[in-house]
Amino acid sequence: MPNNATLRRQRTLGGALGVMVLGFALIYHFFPRLFHVDPTQAPRRSMSLGAATSGSGLQPERVSAINELNAGPPLTLAPTAVIVARNSKNANLPEQLSADPPEVKALLDRATKALHAGQLVGDGNSAAALFQQALKDKPDSRRAVQGLFDVRARLVAEIDQDIAVGDVDAAQDLLGALRTLPNAEAEVTQLEASLKILEKVRPMLAQAAGLLQQGRADQPAGGSALDLYREVQTLDPQNAVAEQGIFQVQRAVLDRALAAVAQNDFAGADRELAKAQAIRPGSQQMIDVHKRVDDMREQRANGVLAQAHSALDAGNVGLATKLAAQVRAIDPSLAALAAFDEQLTNARLYASYKPGQVFTDRYVDLPGKTPAMVVIPTGSFQMGAPADEEDHTDAEMPQHTVTISKGFAMARTAVTVGEFREFVRASGYVPDSIRLGGASVYDERSGALRDDSGATWQDDYAGRKADDKLPVVNVSWNDAKAYADWLGQRTGKAYRLPSEAEFEYALRGGTSSRYWWGADAPTRQVENLTGSGDRSRSGRRWSHAFRNYRDGYWGPAPVMSFAANPFGLYDINGNVSEWTQDCWHDNYVRAPNDGSAWINPGCRSHVVRGGSWGSSPDQVDSAYRQGADGELRSGRVGFRVVREL
């Protein structure tokens, strides 16, 4: 692409050359003596006035002048023969009573030859004189009458051409000859009126040419070349000089559009293109320049977009956002922009992941990887229970709006026994069930939880050895936090326990009903819940359970045994209840509304969320919450982790 200086030189040279050509034509026609040309001696109309020239119609000088000014062209600037052919009408021919005698035929042949040679009027050898002599000798000669008609038509066409290009002297000479022809009164009257208009617009055209040369093509309004050319066209709609002048004005405006593009000012280019379109709508030069601007716009926009992609790939979201804004300013309709905007949004909110995407992080210093994480979308929700909901508690009040403005990833399932075992083995961490001794496990005989000093995280809900696919239970809040911290150390990413708000938001999965599957007992298997159809090993049944529901488990099930909620999370409101970051508060008065954890330094009691395999229906409510000592180890409580994006 040429540099700015080169474009300015090219634009200046092109504009100046166009103005010089137009100015030369105007000065030549209006003030020929400036070029040492005597209008009385210049062979302007040898073809019409009978000067001794050979060959065709227009002289080379005349042809050149017409070609230079022919910007349309209007019909008046076409060759005379074409004008005559388009405007031809048969003369009102008389009824010829007898054939032309030989001497009249000879005159007619000479006249026709003079007509074809362009010797229309003048001496006795001109076409007009010879046709008139033939008509005198044979008044009913149809050929003579038609010949005089053709002479008159050609003269009218040539006078129209002279008027169109502003050649008053040539038009007046030919008009004098036209007056000598019979039946020319109507044409003479019309042409005289056109000449009067021409005399009026000549100084206006000269002034417009000067304004154009001064750079006042279309500004200021009311004092520009365009205004004068428009005024001339109002007086003389067929004026070719005014038409050519408007062409040059539009060219100047289009040059400004290209200059703006060279400065990467595409908004400015659009403004200039709009002005040019208003001057001559749909002109070819308008179409050509518009395409050039559009091509350069697309090329520039794609170049900046490539830089934006590079910035995004490097993790510089701020720079990528600024570059995307530049692309939008250059070409808001660029096809690739929408896809990049989506990438940018994902990068800003989800660190280039997409909502619903599942991923794992590999450890940087030893073999292994994190639990599978799913990206949770941003959004707002009503946290807590509505005041009119049945069975709500004061701890679930007041209901309030929470906005999650930054995406996060949450483990698809609760942490399993196998995953926790990997952590203990690699880190040497001693869980509280071992350090402090024991946990609370389910007693089949009593149907309640009891303390068991020998139970550890390696046991299931009833104190038996747990399968690796089961969610780990008998872990304290301290154990859960230690595991999340360890994942952060192994991956270099920010792993932690979910805040209470994040947990409820993820649990609801975009729903506002009492449970994520609806308002009542599920009609299909959705979670490991207390169902009226479930039985323990000894035949026990739940005293308060979901009616007509059976999931086949008494105690935790292997993770992912049931359906995922709308956010792709398994066992989020069943199987085991889970620890969150937050300290326990009796209600939501002064609770954060941005999704962050509500923590008091040194607190000992933390929030447990979500239903478990042994929770009654009211404890599975999406708004239900309870507090527990951070050292609690229970066969009904596990945890899952969150990763910040």
Side-chain angles (χ1 to χ4, degrees):
M1 181 182 294
N3 59 37
N4 295 342
T6 302
L7 283 172
R8 285 195 295 270
R9 288 196 297 272
Q10 291 175 349
R11 184 172 67 255
T12 302
L13 180 59
L17 184 59
V19 173
M20 288 171 61
V21 171
L22 180 60
F24 177 84
L26 291 169
I27 295 170
Y28 180 83
H29 285 299
F30 299 154
F31 312 105
R33 287 185 175 84
L34 292 177
F35 296 93
H36 307 289
V37 176
D38 187 346
T40 63
Q41 298 178 2
R44 294 188 305 275
R45 280 294 176 187
S46 59
M47 64 170 286
S48 300
L49 300 179
T53 60
S54 62
S56 62
L58 299 176
Q59 288 191 0
E61 296 88 346
R62 177 68 170 159
V63 173
S64 176
I66 291 175
N67 286 342
E68 288 176 1
L69 296 176
N70 187 354
L75 181 60
T76 51
L77 294 187
T80 304
V82 174
I83 300 174
V84 172
R86 292 187 186 179
N87 295 335
S88 64
K89 300 176 183 177
N90 289 327
N92 187 14
L93 301 179
E95 182 180 356
Q96 187 162 342
L97 301 178
S98 61
D100 294 329
E103 59 274 15
V104 172
K105 284 185 178 181
L107 282 172
L108 293 172
D109 289 343
R110 287 173 57 197
T112 301
K113 185 176 180 181
L115 178 66
H116 291 163
Q119 295 175 286
L120 302 182
V121 293
D123 58 24
N125 292 319
S126 67
L130 292 171
F131 280 127
Q132 284 179 309
Q133 182 61 47
L135 194 59
K136 181 179 180 182
D137 294 344
K138 186 74 166 65
D140 65 345
S141 173
R142 294 168 64 91
R143 188 176 167 194
V145 172
Q146 182 67 53
L148 276 175
F149 180 86
D150 290 343
V151 169
R152 190 170 71 248
R154 290 199 176 211
L155 280 175
V156 170
E158 292 181 3
I159 295 170
D160 278 337
Q161 285 184 331
D162 286 331
I163 292 174
V165 298
D167 194 341
V168 176
D169 295 334
Q172 288 177 338
D173 289 346
L174 294 179
L175 188 58
L178 181 63
R179 290 191 184 97
T180 66
L181 299 183
N183 303 318
E185 293 81 5
E187 288 93 340
V188 168
T189 300
Q190 180 182 354
L191 292 170
E192 284 177 340
S194 297
L195 271 173
K196 288 181 181 179
I197 294 174
L198 177 59
E199 290 174 352
K200 183 176 181 180
V201 302
R202 285 178 70 185
M204 297 168 63
L205 291 170
Q207 183 183 357
L211 291 174
L212 190 61
Q213 191 169 16
Q214 295 168 24
R216 296 165 62 182
D218 61 329
Q219 295 295 329
S224 68
L226 178 62
D227 295 317
L228 283 172
Y229 286 132
R230 293 287 193 219
E231 189 175 348
V232 169
Q233 285 189 321
T234 301
L235 297 170
D236 184 8
Q238 299 300 319
N239 192 286
V241 177
E243 176 66 16
Q244 178 67 11
I246 290 176
F247 178 89
Q248 291 293 339
V249 169
Q250 188 184 53
R251 179 72 257 176
V253 177
L254 291 173
D255 285 344
R256 295 204 304 260
L258 292 173
V261 170
Q263 299 294 328
N264 289 325
D265 181 10
F266 288 93
D270 287 339
R271 289 192 294 271
E272 299 300 336
L273 287 174
K275 294 176 184 177
Q277 175 68 8
I279 293 171
R280 294 182 78 231
S283 69
Q284 188 58 50
Q285 68 171 357
M286 176 73 204
I287 294 171
D288 293 342
V289 173
H290 206 302
K291 185 177 185 306
R292 284 183 62 190
V293 171
D294 285 346
D295 290 345
M296 296 167 75
R297 183 198 315 276
E298 184 176 1
Q299 181 181 8
R300 175 60 179 161
N302 280 320
V304 177
L305 187 60
Q307 297 176 30
H309 275 292
S310 297
L312 191 58
D313 291 342
N316 193 337
V317 177
L319 178 58
T321 302
K322 291 180 180 178
L323 292 171
Q326 292 181 24
V327 175
R328 190 170 291 101
I330 295 169
D331 188 359
S333 62
L334 188 68
L337 186 57
F340 182 76
D341 282 341
E342 182 179 356
Q343 288 181 289
L344 194 58
T345 298
N346 289 340
R348 187 168 55 250
L349 300 180
Y350 309 110
S352 296
Y353 293 103
K354 296 180 180 180
Q357 183 175 347
V358 177
F359 69 92
T360 58
D361 288 321
R362 293 197 171 276
Y363 302 151
V364 296
D365 55 351
L366 51 83
K369 59 184 180 181
T370 64
M373 311 294 293
V374 61
V375 178
I376 306 300
T378 59
S380 296
F381 77 108
Q382 293 298 307
M383 185 173 182
D388 59 353
E389 183 176 89
E390 186 180 358
D391 298 330
H392 75 270
T393 67
D394 291 342
E396 300 165 7
M397 301 292 291
Q399 190 177 50
H400 57 290
T401 301
V402 173
T403 298
I404 308 294
S405 59
K406 183 72 167 67
F408 62 94
M410 178 176 275
R412 297 177 78 191
T413 72
V415 174
T416 65
V417 173
E419 289 166 340
F420 198 79
R421 189 189 316 281
E422 178 187 33
F423 153 63
V424 171
R425 182 186 301 118
S427 67
Y429 177 79
V430 180
D432 281 352
S433 59
I434 295 175
R435 184 175 66 86
L436 300 177
S440 296
V441 297
Y442 178 73
D443 182 8
E444 179 71 25
R445 290 174 297 177
S446 65
L449 293 178
R450 63 174 177 82
D451 291 337
D452 184 341
S453 60
T456 72
W457 62 270
Q458 300 187 73
D459 298 324
D460 68 5
Y461 78 107
R464 300 183 296 267
K465 183 174 178 56
D467 186 89
D468 279 355
K469 293 295 184 182
L470 288 172
V472 66
V473 291
N474 303 324
V475 286
S476 67
W477 184 89
N478 303 317
D479 297 336
K481 182 179 183 303
Y483 176 82
D485 292 344
W486 177 77
L487 287 182
Q489 295 167 5
R490 298 287 74 78
T491 62
K493 308 296 182 181
Y495 279 86
R496 56 175 172 77
L497 294 179
S499 70
E500 182 183 7
E502 288 171 339
F503 195 98
E504 182 173 333
Y505 176 68
L507 183 154
R508 289 182 179 276
T511 68
S512 58
S513 53
R514 184 167 188 176
Y515 313 107
W516 66 255
W517 58 81
D520 299 306
T523 57
R524 58 187 175 88
Q525 286 192 349
V526 291
E527 297 268 14
N528 179 8
L529 307 169
T530 54
S532 62
D534 290 327
R535 300 290 183 272
S536 72
R537 290 186 175 186
S538 63
R540 285 185 174 278
R541 63 178 63 188
W542 301 111
S543 59
H544 188 21
F546 287 99
R547 296 183 60 185
N548 302 318
Y549 185 76
R550 180 178 183 276
D551 55 48
Y553 286 92
W554 192 280
V559 296
M560 298 181 69
S561 295
F562 299 93
N565 83 337
F567 281 173
L569 297 166
Y570 292 87
D571 312 316
I572 189 69
N573 204 17
N575 224 23
V576 294
S577 299
E578 302 178 29
W579 290 109
T580 68
Q581 272 189 294
D582 299 55
C583 298
W584 172 254
H585 296 85
D586 291 337
N587 53 51
Y588 286 136
V589 176
R590 295 188 299 277
N593 59 9
D594 60 357
S596 60
W598 193 3
I599 298 175
N600 303 110
C603 72
R604 296 182 56 84
S605 183
H606 294 272
V607 178
V608 175
R609 294 300 300 256
S612 75
W613 57 270
S615 298
S616 61
D618 58 305
Q619 294 174 328
V620 181
D621 190 311
S622 296
Y624 183 77
R625 58 196 295 263
Q626 55 185 318
D629 187 281
E631 293 183 349
L632 172 77
R633 287 90 64 199
S634 168
R636 290 174 54 178
V637 179
F639 72 98
R640 72 181 70 207
V641 293
V642 154
R643 201 255 260 183
E644 295 178 0
L645 300 178

